[in-house]
Amino acid sequence: YIVKIFYKSVSFNIAIYKSSINLHKNLRVIEKYYIMLMKCSLHSNLLKGEVFMSANKFKEMLRKKVAVLYGGGQIPSANIVLGKLMEWLISMKCVVYGIHKSYMGLADEACYEKFTITKAQQIQKQIGTYLETCRNVDPSANEWFDRIIVLLSKFNIHKLFICGGDGSVRAATDFEKKCEEIGYDMRIMFIPCTIDGINGSLSIGRQSAIAESIRRVSSMIVNSFATWDAGLIGPRIPIIELQGRNRNDIIVNVMKRLIKEEDIGRYKISDINLICVPSGHMWSYVKLINSILKTDKLTAIIVAEGAKPIEQWWEAISGKGIGEKLFNLINLSRVKGKPIKKANLDVVGYLSQTNDLISKEESDEINLWTLAATIHATKCNSEVIIKKGTQIACIKLQDLRQLNPNSKEPEILSEEDLKLLKPYLP
């Protein structure tokens, strides 16, 4: 692999070649990468007077204890990221603890699990999020902070590797600041992992989330069209609700794929009454339901979480989300007292993601990100490994926090995206 790492706005390349050697059994190979990094940097005069630590100090640092946790909503590739990161760290002779239940787990000794190479490799093959996550926990709050510091001190952990989204960035920054206030040395390495995306960087999980959504939409459409009900007009109507703060981005990518492929199974896109409802679009429940009931064409609906209609009474409709409310309206609709159509519903969000669809492109990215994070762990700063375009970069944790002061609102569709979706808007 070619790892492109940016430091202080200047770049240098580290060439890492495929080898049959098991890295975790050969520290000399790891040291070779470090020496390559050192020579490249010194030769290019990029550090501007800053000197790398000695080889002995490097070895000593690598044997330190570190903790890895996952914060925020799940992504399809969570276990692959966590497992690969821990595999790299253990390869470099770090003692690695995986923290279950995210920030909340830092305050519970039972949540500290010591990992081996074998265990790190095993979880990469499992679906789900092995380390689990916990929402709405502020590790800087008094109810958590003191207990966390006691346990981190007990395990002698001064380096945290955190995978998560914008909320995890803010929590990590506040936690590090509070540690500094009480004199506890804590350094944090952050890797953006979220299907929602994060300001200032691409994020691991986005591509797999799009691939998962495309698969679920396609399967739902063909399976619904293949299901008929005696006495009703036409087959079932598939309704797919896409969740997450970047749901509009996912809808656009799903539609691009469907339009490009031109057909889904035996059905041509041009023959389907395909309806797309992104967040922020002005639409009407009444008009949408009437148009569905009147048409003889095969109909499919892709709707974004939070795509509110113009009717004020929409919240009174039975159902938790937009998709479920549409599902209930269609199934309850009657003409002359008789039902005429039925619908199927699928909701694609955090809790329904898997990690068996990860693409080769994202697999290569994960190798890049986790290796870059491991290499930068030899430094003492709290940093974030980000990705812009094809470049891997390293910035200060505080800088990413400033780019993400609050939870990101759903993305606004661009003029190009609106033009793409226009034929399918209700």
Side-chain angles (χ1 to χ4, degrees), residues 94-118:
C94 287
V95 178
V96 179
Y97 289 90
I99 309 299
H100 290 267
K101 302 176 185 176
S102 192
Y103 291 112
M104 184 175 73
L106 286 172
D108 183 358
E109 187 171 353
C111 291
Y112 287 63
E113 179 182 356
K114 188 175 179 180
F115 269 73
T116 63
I117 280 284
T118 301

Short mmCIF file of all heavy atoms in Angstrom, two decimals, residues 94-118:
data_model
loop_
_atom_site.label_atom_id
_atom_site.label_comp_id
_atom_site.label_asym_id
_atom_site.label_seq_id
_atom_site.Cartn_x
_atom_site.Cartn_y
_atom_site.Cartn_z
N CYS A 94 1.76 -3.37 21.52
CA CYS A 94 0.94 -2.66 22.50
C CYS A 94 0.08 -3.67 23.25
O CYS A 94 -0.33 -4.69 22.69
CB CYS A 94 0.04 -1.63 21.82
SG CYS A 94 0.89 -0.18 21.21
N VAL A 95 -0.21 -3.37 24.50
CA VAL A 95 -1.21 -4.12 25.26
C VAL A 95 -2.54 -3.41 25.02
O VAL A 95 -2.70 -2.24 25.38
CB VAL A 95 -0.87 -4.15 26.77
CG1 VAL A 95 -1.96 -4.89 27.53
CG2 VAL A 95 0.48 -4.80 26.99
N VAL A 96 -3.48 -4.11 24.41
CA VAL A 96 -4.71 -3.46 23.93
C VAL A 96 -5.93 -3.95 24.71
O VAL A 96 -6.17 -5.15 24.81
CB VAL A 96 -4.92 -3.73 22.42
CG1 VAL A 96 -6.20 -3.08 21.93
CG2 VAL A 96 -3.72 -3.23 21.62
N TYR A 97 -6.70 -2.98 25.20
CA TYR A 97 -7.97 -3.28 25.86
C TYR A 97 -9.11 -2.74 24.99
O TYR A 97 -9.11 -1.56 24.61
CB TYR A 97 -8.04 -2.63 27.25
CG TYR A 97 -7.15 -3.28 28.26
CD1 TYR A 97 -5.83 -2.84 28.45
CD2 TYR A 97 -7.59 -4.36 29.04
CE1 TYR A 97 -5.00 -3.45 29.38
CE2 TYR A 97 -6.76 -4.96 29.97
CZ TYR A 97 -5.46 -4.51 30.13
OH TYR A 97 -4.65 -5.11 31.05
N GLY A 98 -10.06 -3.59 24.67
CA GLY A 98 -11.27 -3.14 23.99
C GLY A 98 -12.29 -2.78 25.05
O GLY A 98 -12.53 -3.56 25.98
N ILE A 99 -12.88 -1.59 24.93
CA ILE A 99 -13.83 -1.11 25.93
C ILE A 99 -15.24 -1.33 25.41
O ILE A 99 -15.64 -0.74 24.41
CB ILE A 99 -13.62 0.39 26.24
CG1 ILE A 99 -12.14 0.66 26.57
CG2 ILE A 99 -14.53 0.83 27.37
CD1 ILE A 99 -11.63 -0.08 27.78
N HIS A 100 -16.01 -2.16 26.09
CA HIS A 100 -17.40 -2.41 25.71
C HIS A 100 -18.28 -1.24 26.18
O HIS A 100 -17.99 -0.57 27.16
CB HIS A 100 -17.91 -3.70 26.34
CG HIS A 100 -17.29 -4.93 25.75
ND1 HIS A 100 -17.85 -5.62 24.71
CD2 HIS A 100 -16.12 -5.57 26.04
CE1 HIS A 100 -17.08 -6.65 24.39
NE2 HIS A 100 -16.02 -6.65 25.19
N LYS A 101 -19.37 -0.98 25.45
CA LYS A 101 -20.38 0.02 25.79
C LYS A 101 -19.85 1.45 25.77
O LYS A 101 -20.30 2.30 26.52
CB LYS A 101 -21.01 -0.28 27.15
CG LYS A 101 -21.67 -1.66 27.21
CD LYS A 101 -22.21 -1.97 28.60
CE LYS A 101 -22.75 -3.39 28.67
NZ LYS A 101 -23.19 -3.75 30.03
N SER A 102 -18.86 1.69 24.91
CA SER A 102 -18.39 3.04 24.62
C SER A 102 -17.92 3.78 25.88
O SER A 102 -17.30 3.19 26.75
CB SER A 102 -19.51 3.81 23.89
OG SER A 102 -19.02 5.01 23.35
N TYR A 103 -18.24 5.08 25.95
CA TYR A 103 -17.76 5.90 27.07
C TYR A 103 -18.29 5.39 28.41
O TYR A 103 -17.61 5.49 29.43
CB TYR A 103 -18.17 7.36 26.87
CG TYR A 103 -17.45 8.06 25.74
CD1 TYR A 103 -18.13 8.44 24.59
CD2 TYR A 103 -16.09 8.34 25.81
CE1 TYR A 103 -17.47 9.08 23.54
CE2 TYR A 103 -15.43 8.98 24.78
CZ TYR A 103 -16.13 9.35 23.64
OH TYR A 103 -15.47 9.98 22.62
N MET A 104 -19.50 4.87 28.43
CA MET A 104 -20.05 4.34 29.67
C MET A 104 -19.21 3.19 30.18
O MET A 104 -19.01 3.02 31.39
CB MET A 104 -21.50 3.89 29.46
CG MET A 104 -22.18 3.42 30.75
SD MET A 104 -23.94 3.03 30.53
CE MET A 104 -23.81 1.48 29.62
N GLY A 105 -18.67 2.37 29.26
CA GLY A 105 -17.86 1.23 29.65
C GLY A 105 -16.54 1.62 30.29
O GLY A 105 -15.94 0.81 31.03
N LEU A 106 -16.05 2.83 30.03
CA LEU A 106 -14.80 3.28 30.66
C LEU A 106 -14.93 3.34 32.18
O LEU A 106 -13.93 3.29 32.89
CB LEU A 106 -14.41 4.67 30.13
CG LEU A 106 -13.85 4.74 28.70
CD1 LEU A 106 -13.70 6.18 28.26
CD2 LEU A 106 -12.51 4.01 28.61
N ALA A 107 -16.18 3.44 32.68
CA ALA A 107 -16.41 3.55 34.12
C ALA A 107 -16.74 2.19 34.75
O ALA A 107 -17.04 2.13 35.94
CB ALA A 107 -17.56 4.52 34.38
N ASP A 108 -16.65 1.12 33.97
CA ASP A 108 -17.01 -0.22 34.47
C ASP A 108 -15.88 -1.20 34.15
O ASP A 108 -15.62 -1.50 32.98
CB ASP A 108 -18.32 -0.68 33.81
CG ASP A 108 -18.80 -2.02 34.31
OD1 ASP A 108 -18.11 -2.64 35.14
OD2 ASP A 108 -19.88 -2.46 33.86
N GLU A 109 -15.23 -1.70 35.17
CA GLU A 109 -14.07 -2.58 34.97
C GLU A 109 -14.44 -3.84 34.18
O GLU A 109 -13.62 -4.38 33.45
CB GLU A 109 -13.48 -2.98 36.33
CG GLU A 109 -12.18 -3.76 36.21
CD GLU A 109 -11.48 -3.95 37.54
OE1 GLU A 109 -11.94 -3.36 38.55
OE2 GLU A 109 -10.46 -4.67 37.57
N ALA A 110 -15.67 -4.29 34.31
CA ALA A 110 -16.12 -5.49 33.59
C ALA A 110 -16.13 -5.27 32.08
O ALA A 110 -16.19 -6.25 31.31
CB ALA A 110 -17.50 -5.91 34.08
N CYS A 111 -16.10 -4.02 31.64
CA CYS A 111 -16.16 -3.70 30.21
C CYS A 111 -14.77 -3.64 29.57
O CYS A 111 -14.66 -3.40 28.37
CB CYS A 111 -16.89 -2.38 30.00
SG CYS A 111 -18.65 -2.45 30.37
N TYR A 112 -13.72 -3.83 30.36
CA TYR A 112 -12.35 -3.80 29.83
C TYR A 112 -11.96 -5.22 29.42
O TYR A 112 -11.80 -6.10 30.26
CB TYR A 112 -11.37 -3.29 30.88
CG TYR A 112 -11.44 -1.81 31.15
CD1 TYR A 112 -12.59 -1.22 31.67
CD2 TYR A 112 -10.35 -0.97 30.89
CE1 TYR A 112 -12.66 0.14 31.94
CE2 TYR A 112 -10.41 0.40 31.15
CZ TYR A 112 -11.56 0.95 31.67
OH TYR A 112 -11.62 2.29 31.93
N GLU A 113 -11.80 -5.46 28.12
CA GLU A 113 -11.43 -6.78 27.62
C GLU A 113 -10.06 -6.72 26.95
O GLU A 113 -9.84 -5.96 26.01
CB GLU A 113 -12.45 -7.32 26.61
CG GLU A 113 -12.09 -8.68 26.06
CD GLU A 113 -13.08 -9.20 25.03
OE1 GLU A 113 -14.10 -8.53 24.79
OE2 GLU A 113 -12.83 -10.28 24.45
N LYS A 114 -9.12 -7.53 27.45
CA LYS A 114 -7.78 -7.57 26.86
C LYS A 114 -7.83 -8.40 25.58
O LYS A 114 -8.34 -9.51 25.58
CB LYS A 114 -6.80 -8.17 27.86
CG LYS A 114 -5.35 -8.07 27.40
CD LYS A 114 -4.41 -8.58 28.48
CE LYS A 114 -2.96 -8.50 28.03
NZ LYS A 114 -2.03 -9.00 29.08
N PHE A 115 -7.28 -7.84 24.51
CA PHE A 115 -7.36 -8.49 23.20
C PHE A 115 -6.04 -9.16 22.82
O PHE A 115 -4.95 -8.71 23.20
CB PHE A 115 -7.74 -7.47 22.12
CG PHE A 115 -9.22 -7.37 21.90
CD1 PHE A 115 -10.03 -6.75 22.82
CD2 PHE A 115 -9.80 -7.92 20.77
CE1 PHE A 115 -11.40 -6.66 22.64
CE2 PHE A 115 -11.17 -7.85 20.57
CZ PHE A 115 -11.97 -7.22 21.50
N THR A 116 -6.18 -10.22 22.04
CA THR A 116 -5.05 -10.89 21.40
C THR A 116 -5.19 -10.73 19.89
O THR A 116 -6.24 -10.30 19.39
CB THR A 116 -5.04 -12.39 21.74
OG1 THR A 116 -6.25 -12.99 21.20
CG2 THR A 116 -4.99 -12.61 23.25
N ILE A 117 -4.14 -11.07 19.18
CA ILE A 117 -4.18 -11.02 17.72
C ILE A 117 -5.33 -11.89 17.20
O ILE A 117 -6.10 -11.48 16.33
CB ILE A 117 -2.85 -11.50 17.10
CG1 ILE A 117 -1.81 -10.38 17.15
CG2 ILE A 117 -3.04 -11.96 15.67
CD1 ILE A 117 -1.99 -9.30 16.10
N THR A 118 -5.45 -13.08 17.75
CA THR A 118 -6.49 -14.02 17.30
C THR A 118 -7.87 -13.43 17.50
O THR A 118 -8.73 -13.49 16.61
CB THR A 118 -6.39 -15.35 18.06
OG1 THR A 118 -5.09 -15.91 17.83
CG2 THR A 118 -7.45 -16.33 17.58
#
